[in-house]
Amino acid sequence: TRYWRDWSSDVCSSDLAVDPTVGGVLIMGDRGTGKSTAVRALADLLPPLKVVSGCPYGCDPTQKSANNRCETCGVKIAKTESRAVPVVDLPLGATEDRVVGALDLEKALVQGVREFAPGLLAKAHRGFLYIDEVNLLEDHLVDLLIDVAASGENVVEREGLSLRHPAKFVLIGSGNPEEGELRPQLLDRLDRKSTRLNSSHANISYA
């Protein structure tokens, strides 16, 4: 609806839109108030990103420092392509392997190749990582997200793999306040811009 499109446009036009220096946004409201719909509309409203062609992390070709690119891209001059701004869902039941990435078991077993399979953090780089019912997220994933969001980098040391890749994203959480409180650390990260929706869809207030 126009109401939700207008709300999404407001978020996109603010300093929240794909600015990794902004902590994130928290959307709290009753069930059925369209929280998820509003968040997923963001990708359609933002211009596409220029990325290094073929890069699984969507590295920024304008960044010349190796610290701002993955180990594969490094500082090489590469071809570019356009991709939609990622809006990645992190489901409550996600495992740590799915979030941070892990050994690609299929390639390891079939081809005997030890290769990293990027996780949700890699897919969200330069975009949005969205958690519905964020107040129900498991504590160990909360700690992980806070660390990565603060550093802008995902460091993987597991299953014989040792690598790091950029993971700069805007964290968006939504939830029903009746289902539990947010952990203080996550609240600090998200509550720099917060929105409360009521069941009438009539009022939006920023904390």
Side-chain angles (χ1 to χ4, degrees):
T1 64
R2 178 177 175 78
Y3 174 86
W4 291 119
R5 297 287 290 188
D6 287 348
W7 178 85
S8 297
S9 298
D10 178 66
V11 173
C12 290
S13 61
S14 74
D15 59 357
L16 178 68
V18 198
D19 181 352
T21 65
V22 175
V25 64
L26 175 63
I27 309 168
M28 299 299 284
D30 300 330
R31 290 185 180 277
T33 50
K35 301 183 294 294
S36 299
T37 302
V39 172
R40 294 185 179 108
L42 290 174
D44 295 333
L45 299 175
L46 288 166
L49 297 173
K50 282 289 186 183
V51 304
V52 175
S53 183
C55 176
Y57 310 105
C59 283
D60 186 347
T62 65
Q63 294 290 335
K64 304 304 181 183
S65 170
N67 293 331
N68 294 315
R69 291 194 185 184
C70 69
E71 295 176 354
T72 302
C73 293
V75 294
K76 68 180 181 181
I77 299 175
K79 295 181 179 179
T80 65
E81 62 186 34
S82 295
R83 294 182 193 171
V85 174
V87 179
V88 178
D89 286 284
L90 195 163
L92 290 181
T95 63
E96 187 171 333
D97 281 355
R98 184 178 178 192
V99 175
V100 303
L103 179 69
D104 189 323
L105 292 178
E106 182 177 353
K107 288 189 176 181
L109 295 173
V110 176
Q111 303 176 22
V113 177
R114 186 177 294 275
E115 188 172 307
F116 178 65
L120 299 178
L121 294 178
K123 295 178 181 179
H125 179 50
R126 301 178 67 200
F128 299 89
L129 184 64
Y130 173 54
I131 310 167
D132 193 15
E133 297 181 332
V134 65
N135 41 343
L136 303 180
L137 190 66
E138 294 183 18
D139 287 350
H140 74 282
L141 290 181
V142 170
D143 293 335
L144 188 157
L145 288 176
I146 291 172
D147 289 344
V148 174
S151 67
E153 186 177 56
N154 181 32
V155 180
V156 180
E157 300 281 353
R158 56 171 60 198
E159 299 168 333
L161 297 170
S162 179
L163 61 91
R164 58 184 63 210
H165 67 78
K168 298 178 181 179
F169 50 82
V170 174
L171 189 60
I172 303 180
S174 67
N176 185 337
E178 297 179 356
E179 294 178 346
E181 297 294 328
L182 277 176
R183 282 184 54 184
Q185 300 95 319
L186 193 55
L187 184 60
D188 288 343
R189 187 75 195 176
L190 289 171
D191 207 28
R192 302 190 189 177
K193 186 178 182 75
S194 65
T195 307
R196 290 188 177 274
L197 310 179
N198 62 27
S199 57
S200 69
H201 292 192
N203 299 314
I204 298 178
S205 61
Y206 294 92

